[in-house]
């Protein structure tokens, strides 16, 4: 699939909050085979969770629907944490996630972050390769998750 150039990346709004929540939860269910809501308290109210200083939740909108998501949360004054990266199944492998991570990194630079960190499950080989291909470096592996870092400056 060719990347739809018409995808618009924007901060989450009430209009798209439920759809974004479902996208992220569906992706987690695909990966884990189940959803445990206790692991995802930020998704109960995405806007409240990601509209404080140092945080953002972006969605990619195409044809009036959410096709991807990604977020940054505050770690320290100079470090942000990437999370909630998800792409609808039919838009995967089309460059949508690359555009999302680029948008998140641009936002982080504008905010003043000098570095981004993230973690992903060791079983998610395609996610690990995706982040490596985007310039993220493995900082450590805790046995369950691979932890990555990327300097923005």
């Amino acid at each position: 699939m060719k990347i739809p150039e018409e995808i618009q990346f924007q901060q989450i709004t009430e209009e798209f909050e439920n759809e974004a929540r479902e996208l992220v939860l569906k992706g987690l269910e695909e990966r884990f085979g189940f959803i445990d809501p206790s692991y995802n308290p930020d998704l109960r109210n995405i806007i409240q969770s990601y509209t404080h200083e140092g945080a953002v939740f972006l969605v990619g909108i195409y044809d009036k629907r959410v096709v991807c998501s990604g977020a940054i949360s505050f770690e320290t004054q100079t470090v942000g944490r990437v999370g909630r990266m998800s792409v609808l199944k039919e838009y995967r492998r089309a460059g949508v996630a690359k555009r999302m991570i680029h948008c998140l990194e641009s936002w982080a630079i504008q905010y003043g972050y000098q570095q981004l960190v993230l973690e992903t499950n060791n079983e998610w080989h395609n996610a690990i390769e995706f982040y490596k291909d985007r310039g993220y470096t493995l900082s450590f592996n805790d046995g369950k998750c691979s932890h990555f870092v990327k300097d923005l400056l």
Side-chain angles (χ1 to χ4, degrees), residues 40-95:
N40 305 292
D42 62 309
L43 295 179
R44 289 186 198 123
N45 188 329
I46 296 171
I47 293 172
Q48 183 178 342
S49 297
Y50 291 95
T51 53
H52 52 83
E53 189 172 344
V56 68
F57 192 103
L58 299 180
V59 290
I61 307 299
Y62 178 68
D63 199 22
K64 299 180 182 177
R65 65 191 282 224
V66 175
V67 298
C68 63
S69 68
I72 294 179
S73 57
F74 179 88
E75 283 286 305
T76 72
Q77 286 299 119
T78 59
V79 179
R81 175 169 294 278
V82 174
R84 299 306 184 196
M85 287 283 296
S86 196
V87 177
L88 274 179
K89 195 175 230 175
E90 60 265 35
Y91 291 89
R92 293 180 190 158
R93 305 255 181 243

Side-chain angles (χ1 to χ4, degrees), residues 92-107:
R92 293 180 190 158
R93 305 255 181 243
V96 175
K98 289 178 191 174
R99 289 183 58 199
M100 175 56 78
I101 197 73
H102 177 76
C103 288
L104 289 170
E105 290 171 356
S106 295
W107 183 92

Side-chain angles (χ1 to χ4, degrees), residues 10 13 19-21 27 32 36 38 62 65 67-68 73 75-76 78 95 100 110 113 118 120 129 137 141 143 145-146:
Q10 65 179 56
T13 61
E19 203 174 342
R21 179 182 307 105
F32 290 114
D36 183 342
S38 69
Y62 178 68
R65 65 191 282 224
V67 298
C68 63
S73 57
E75 283 286 305
T76 72
T78 59
M100 175 56 78
Q110 289 176 0
Y113 286 133
L118 62 88
T120 190
E129 290 308 310
T137 306
N141 186 317
C145 291
S146 294

